[in-house]
Every structure is written in C-alpha cells, then in structure tokens.
C-alpha cells in the first residue's frame, strides 16, 4: 500500500468533521426520547390512559423519523450510467482538440443518441471534466462528494449526503416526520410546560427536561415547517433546489417549467404510482434518474425522430410540446394519461416500489 500523505490525512479529517451535524442530531434525538418517554410520560403524567396514548403515538412517529433519517443518510447517491461516459477513443480525441467548436463537435457526436435536452448557458453540451462524462439532464457535480449526482437537489450537511434522485423521497419524508415529531411533542408537552413554568408542579429533575423539550420542539417546528413547505412547492413544480435558483437551459433557451408535467404527474415522479408506498421510506420514485419527460416550448431541431406511440404535437396542461427524442420507457409513460405504471422491459421487477433503485450504476464509497 502507498504511504498516506498530508492530502490523505486532510481528507480523512474532513470526513470525520462532516459527521458532526449527524452526531449532533442523533444525540439530540436520543435526549428527546429520554425527556419525553421517561421524564414526561412515565414520571410526570399521572393519567394511565394519557400515558399509553402518548407513548404509542410518540413511538410511531419516532420510528418513522429514525427510519427516514437513516435512509436519507445511508442511501448512496447515484451517478450516470456507463452510456454517458466517454469511450477511451473519445477521451483521447477530446484531449487533442482545443476548447471551442471542435471540442463541442466531439461531445455532440458522443451525445447524439443520449436522451439529453439541457445545455449550458452558452448552449454547449454539459460535460464534467472531473468525471469525464456527458451530464444527463438535471445531473450536477457535487464538490463535497466529488461525484456527479443524478437529479442533484443539494448537499445536506445534516445528513452528510447529497440529496438527489436516489434519496429525495427519503429526504422529504425525513422533513415531514421530523416536523410531525416536533409538533406532537410541543402539543402534548405544552400543558406540563405551563404547569412547571407557573410552579403548578413541584421542582423535580423532570422540570428542566420538560421545559427545554418544549422550547426545542417549538423552535425546530418553525424552521422545519418553512423548509418542508419549500420542498413541497419544489415537488409540485418538479424542480430541484438548484433548478429553482438557476432555471434549466434547453436548446430553445431557459425554461423554468421545462420539466413540469402538472401537479399530479410531478408528485408521481417522486413518490411513484402506488400510494400505499408514499408514506414509507421505501424507494418508489419513477424512472432511472438519467432521463426525464420535458415540456419544451419549441422542438429541438437536432432531435428528429418521434418515439412510437407519442405524438410530438401533443400538449400538456401548460400548452408546451413534448420532445421528439425517445425517452426511457420508465419515464415516457408520464406523457400519457394512464393512471398506473407498468414496466415493459425485459426485467419485470425493475423500478417497482420496495425494490432496489433501478438499473443504475451506484457510486462506491471511498
């Protein structure tokens, strides 16, 4: 093995430091369990019925919170599949060509059969020099992970992970259950907080825990409600956080609603077709993360062929035209009005809820 240098030591130190927010949340969650379940429910509550109801409801919310948080942290971000990587010959040709039109011509030839609709601000093919691949739509390079992440939303320090295609549903559920967790604690703790605050109950060890628990739950409820509301709006518009700040650029120009298919289909793209899986931290998102239905205002002149069964002049509710370039089967079904989704590929289990994330190359932890 090669000896580790100063750079390797710095990287290891950064990796340890990146876990500090996760450790903080975990310790806070452990203390809240002790404060609520032990000090509030068992020590302070005198009504047995109230104890039982509060403990059952609390443990359900606690379990869903921990489950969704765990899945958000430990679901590895996904990188583009092999077809988006340049071949050895294309890499050599790209290195020989100077930056400019010749450079772009190599990329255009490599991308001609890929389901790519977005471009850079200058209209060029989106290419990642570090990963040496053509970026799929909505894919971005994360400087923290040093990887290209499919449908990257943002890098979240509180989960020490990139939030993207593979775990965006888990992140939304984490926000939802953490908000419900805090609201439930604040609501059931309020009367005991008031009693301790007005000296209606004797000073005990539980007083500090119950009073601080209410303050913490109320404070986190405010911040989580705004963050959860913002991401609900993003889902309804089929946008990522990055796309909300910088609209995607297509051949015809910038289009902030280029990926929006309407509220219902936008929801299905994240949560899937089967509603029984919506509230569970189980992967059920539609598609492969590499291609997405688009609602282009104008047709891309470079995308000449129309996929079978799709009318290139069909309109969505916002009167946008659908692209002519073939989509993945796992996404093109969203262009139809059928209420359910079935995968017609050779692998009948691909993309079903509860299964592993479909047909993608997953980044290995290094």
């Amino acid at each position: 093995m090669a000896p580790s240098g100063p750079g390797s030591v710095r990287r290891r130190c950064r990796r340890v430091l990146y876990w500090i927010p996760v450790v903080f949340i975990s310790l806070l969650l452990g203390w809240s369990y002790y404060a609520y379940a032990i000090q509030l429910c068992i020590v302070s509550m005198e009504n047995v019925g109230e104890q039982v109801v509060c403990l059952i409801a609390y443990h359900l919310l606690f379990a869903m919170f921990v489950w969704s948080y765990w899945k958000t942290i430990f679901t590895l971000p996904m990188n583009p599949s092999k077809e988006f990587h340049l071949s050895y010959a294309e890499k050599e040709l790209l290195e020989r060509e100077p930056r400019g039109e010749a450079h772009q011509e190599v990329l255009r030839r490599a991308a001609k059969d890929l389901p790519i609709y977005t471009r850079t601000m200058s209209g060029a093919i989106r290419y990642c020099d570090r990963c040496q691949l053509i970026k799929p739509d909505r894919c971005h390079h994360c400087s923290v992970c040093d990887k290209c992440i499919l449908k990257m939303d943002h890098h979240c320090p509180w989960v020490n992970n990139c939030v993207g295609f593979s775990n965006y549903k888990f992140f939304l559920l984490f926000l939802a259950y953490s908000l419900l967790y805090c609201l439930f604690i604040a609501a059931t703790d309020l009367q005991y907080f008031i009693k301790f605050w007005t000296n209606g109950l004797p000073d005990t060890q539980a007083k500090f825990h119950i009073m601080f628990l209410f303050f913490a739950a109320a404070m986190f409820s405010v911040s989580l409600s705004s963050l959860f509301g913002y991401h609900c709006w993003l889902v309804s518009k089929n946008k990522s956080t990055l796309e909300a700040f910088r609209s995607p650029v297509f051949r015809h120009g910038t289009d902030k609603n280029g990926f929006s298919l309407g509220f219902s289909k936008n929801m299905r793209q994240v949560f899937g077709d089967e509603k029984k899986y919506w509230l569970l931290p189980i992967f059920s998102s539609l598609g492969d993360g590499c291609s997405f239905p688009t609602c282009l205002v104008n047709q891309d002149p470079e995308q000449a062929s129309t996929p079978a069964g799709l009318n290139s002049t069909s309109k969505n509710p916002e009167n946008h035209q659908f692209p002519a370039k073939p989509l993945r089967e796992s996404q093109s079904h969203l262009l139809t009005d059928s209420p359910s989704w079935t995968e017609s590929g050779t692998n009948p289990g691909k993309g079903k809820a509860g299964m592993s994330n479909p047909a993608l190359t997953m980044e290995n932890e290094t």
Side-chain angles (χ1 to χ4, degrees), residues 83-227:
E83 63 184 319
F84 291 91
H85 291 258
L86 297 184
S87 66
Y88 180 77
E90 288 169 334
K91 290 178 184 177
E92 280 195 330
L93 186 59
L94 203 63
E95 290 174 358
R96 289 199 301 268
E97 295 292 347
R99 292 280 180 177
E101 184 58 32
H103 193 272
Q104 275 297 301
E105 183 59 33
V106 174
L107 294 179
R108 276 196 290 267
R109 286 200 301 267
K112 64 183 176 66
D113 294 323
L114 297 176
I116 296 174
Y117 307 106
T118 56
R119 302 289 189 267
T120 65
M121 293 296 293
S122 62
I125 299 293
R126 298 171 67 242
Y127 176 73
C128 180
D129 291 305
R130 291 188 63 85
C131 299
Q132 294 187 310
L133 56 83
I134 295 171
K135 293 181 183 179
D137 293 342
R138 317 184 82 176
C139 174
H140 297 274
H141 187 89
C142 175
S143 58
V144 179
C145 299
D146 197 24
K147 303 171 184 176
C148 278
I149 308 298
L150 292 179
K151 195 187 175 185
M152 180 178 172
D153 188 87
H154 69 289
H155 185 92
C156 181
W158 297 107
V159 300
N160 190 27
N161 200 2
C162 259
V163 177
F165 173 76
S166 60
N167 62 354
Y168 187 62
K169 176 191 173 184
F170 306 149
F171 178 73
L172 285 173
L173 292 179
F174 158 61
L175 292 179
Y177 286 122
S178 58
L179 176 59
L180 290 174
Y181 180 78
C182 291
L183 289 174
F184 176 79
I185 288 177
T188 54
D189 187 28
L190 178 60
Q191 60 174 316
Y192 296 93
F193 169 80
I194 294 174
K195 289 179 181 178
F196 276 116
W197 187 263
T198 57
N199 295 317
L201 292 175
D203 279 346
T204 61
Q205 183 185 3
K207 180 176 182 178
F208 164 79
H209 292 287
I210 290 174
M211 294 184 69
F212 188 72
L213 183 65
F214 178 80
F215 278 122
M219 178 184 67
F220 278 105
S221 295
V222 174
S223 58
L224 285 169
S225 60
S226 59
L227 184 59

Side-chain angles (χ1 to χ4, degrees), residues 236-238 257-266 269 293-295 316-318 322 331 334-335:
S236 70
K237 298 296 183 180
N238 204 341
N257 295 316
F259 292 108
S260 181
L261 304 174
F263 179 79
S264 175
K265 292 179 180 179
N266 293 343
Q269 200 171 81
T294 61
C295 301
N316 77 328
E318 300 175 358
F322 293 125
Q331 285 291 358
L334 284 173
L335 301 183

